[in-house]
Amino acid sequence: MRNVLVTGSSHGIGQATAIAFAREGYAVGINYFHDFEGAVQTEERCKEAGAKTKISGTDPLRPVYRAMRCVIPHRRSRKVRDPHAMSHVL
């Protein structure tokens, strides 16, 4: 069985893509950022198509974004926003 990870698959084009892969026999990794209910809906539809699924609630690019953000001082306080962000990247 082939595997695929579809980012943004909780709604819209990502959801349609995940379902299309499920219909083609792929095991589908469902990734969402904010819309957990949408991810569950996508999972149900993929399982109806006979696919194995797994939901991931983290955005793959988020650790990189957080690392970039941590070096930008906050406008008002001039403090680093998230000093622990680099630990997620390593």
Side-chain angles (χ1 to χ4, degrees):
M1 180 174 280
R2 296 175 291 181
N3 301 308
V4 65
L5 172 64
V6 182
T7 59
S9 54
S10 62
H11 61 279
I13 294 171
Q15 185 179 52
T17 303
I19 295 166
F21 275 113
R23 290 180 181 149
E24 293 296 319
Y26 284 78
V28 181
I30 299 165
N31 180 263
Y32 72 96
F33 190 66
H34 293 292
D35 188 9
F36 176 72
E37 292 81 14
V40 171
Q41 185 181 52
T42 302
E43 180 184 41
E44 291 170 357
R45 294 183 66 187
C46 289
K47 284 184 176 181
E48 287 173 3
K52 292 182 180 181
T53 61
K54 181 159 181 135
I55 295 178
S56 171
T58 56
D59 184 29
L61 298 178
R62 190 170 188 186
V64 174
Y65 167 74
R66 290 183 64 187
M68 291 174 14
R69 188 181 77 180
C70 80
V71 296
I72 302 170
H74 192 272
R75 291 183 195 175
R76 293 184 186 161
S77 68
R78 303 283 181 200
K79 293 181 181 176
V80 174
R81 291 182 185 176
D82 190 358
H84 302 290
M86 292 303 289
S87 65
H88 299 306
V89 175
L90 304 174

